[in-house]
């Protein structure tokens, strides 16, 4: 059965995404409430090898490299739904265009196929390490590598922003700090501060992992990784 991998939207526009039977599956809120089967989109190349999936919304003008050339000018001011997957070797990337006010659910309903356009560059050594978590926010792709480091890509410039090992606050429980390098990742979330413009404003990175039990790690994102 399909495994739900990520969620987008809120309230009536909530959509859950999963992979199964070689396709992208999605459930809107009504389907979840009624226990209905998911809607499905075919994926060029299939999803049988996909182990992780992340999705997010971005300006189409920031992810033009993921769109067919014939669409790039016509959707420059629109919103795109961006997807990234980990298949055990590579990180395929795809974008589905919408309108300036589209929700993720509307974009999925209008789409006919998901066609990965590029793969995020991942050196062989890092690919062999493996990826435990993926996150998309705007034109940034985050990958939590099994070594405990993070690899970040700028999809607008189609370039890597190098690797970063998070520094966890000294206020974290000692057991967490001592075992941080051995924690296996489960999920990543970035959160923008609520007081934009404040000198004390920070951008947070939350990492959900598992060691001897579940653990939530927090770190401050370096300015060079922010959009």
């Amino acid at each position: 059965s399909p495994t739900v991998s990520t969620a987008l939207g809120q309230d009536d526009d909530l959509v859950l995404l999963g992979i199964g039977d070689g396709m992208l599956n999605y459930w809107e809120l009504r389907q979840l409430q009624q226990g209905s089967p998911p809607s499905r989109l075919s994926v060029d190349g299939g999803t049988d090898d996909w182990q992780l999936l992340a999705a997010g919304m971005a300006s189409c003008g920031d992810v033009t490299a993921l769109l067919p050339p014939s669409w790039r000018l016509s959707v420059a001011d629109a919103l795109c739904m961006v997807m990234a997957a980990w298949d055990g070797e590579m990180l395929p990337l795809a974008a589905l265009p919408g309108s300036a006010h589209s929700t993720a659910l509307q974009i999925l309903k209008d789409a006919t196929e998901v066609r990965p356009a590029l793969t995020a560059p991942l050196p062989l050594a890092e690919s062999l390490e493996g990826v435990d978590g993926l996150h998309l926010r705007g034109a940034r792709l985050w990958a939590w590598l099994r070594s405990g480091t993070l690899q970040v890509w700028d999809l607008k410039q189609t370039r890597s922003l190098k690797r970063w090992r998070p520094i966890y606050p000294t206020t974290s429980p000692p057991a967490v700090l001592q075992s941080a390098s051995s924690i296996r990742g489960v999920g990543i979330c970035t959160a923008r501060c609520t007081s934009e413009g404040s000198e004390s404003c920070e951008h947070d990175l939350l990492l959900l992992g598992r060691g001897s039990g579940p653990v939530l790690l927090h770190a401050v994102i370096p300015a060079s990784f922010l959009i």
Side-chain angles (χ1 to χ4, degrees):
S1 59
T3 301
V4 174
S5 297
T6 191
L8 282 175
Q10 58 186 355
D11 301 328
D12 291 340
D13 290 321
L14 175 69
V15 59
L16 299 182
L17 298 171
I19 48 180
D21 300 324
M23 305 186 78
L24 178 73
N25 303 280
Y26 66 92
W27 296 257
E28 55 184 295
L29 183 60
R30 172 184 56 80
Q31 290 171 300
L32 290 171
Q33 293 171 332
Q34 297 175 356
S36 302
S39 302
R40 292 185 165 186
L41 275 175
S42 62
V43 178
D44 184 36
T47 64
D48 289 341
D49 295 328
W50 289 12
Q51 301 172 22
L52 296 171
L53 175 67
M57 300 294 285
S59 166
C60 291
D62 288 342
V63 292
T64 54
L66 304 183
L67 297 170
S70 59
W71 293 1
R72 293 177 184 175
L73 290 178
S74 62
V75 298
D77 296 324
L79 286 174
C80 275
M81 180 177 165
V82 185
M83 284 172 279
W86 166 244
D87 65 8
E89 295 181 358
M90 299 184 294
L91 294 160
L93 302 167
L96 298 174
S99 69
H101 304 289
S102 290
T103 64
L105 181 56
Q106 290 169 337
I107 290 175
L108 287 166
K109 285 184 172 182
D110 291 340
T112 57
E113 183 184 36
V114 177
R115 186 178 292 273
L118 294 174
T119 58
L122 192 64
L124 178 60
E126 296 176 14
S127 177
L128 292 174
E129 276 182 34
V131 177
D132 277 348
L134 291 175
H135 175 64
L136 278 161
R137 188 182 183 104
R140 290 285 193 272
L141 169 63
W142 304 70
W144 191 358
L145 304 182
R146 203 151 290 167
S147 63
T149 58
L150 285 158
Q151 175 75 53
V152 186
W153 293 267
D154 179 348
L155 302 184
K156 183 175 183 178
Q157 303 293 333
T158 60
R159 65 187 178 95
S160 169
L161 294 178
K162 299 184 180 180
R163 294 174 68 170
W164 167 54
R165 181 174 291 277
I167 299 174
Y168 304 109
T170 55
T171 53
S172 299
V176 170
L177 294 174
Q178 292 169 6
S179 62
S181 61
S182 62
I183 290 173
R184 291 289 300 274
V186 175
I188 312 171
C189 178
T190 58
R192 291 193 182 277
C193 50
T194 57
S195 53
E196 290 291 347
S198 169
E199 291 183 0
S200 61
C201 183
E202 295 178 340
H203 291 68
D204 295 335
L205 177 72
L206 300 177
L207 300 165
L208 178 63
R210 62 183 185 274
S212 56
V215 61
L216 184 64
L217 301 173
H218 160 260
V220 177
I221 303 171
S224 59
F225 289 112
L226 299 173
I227 295 177

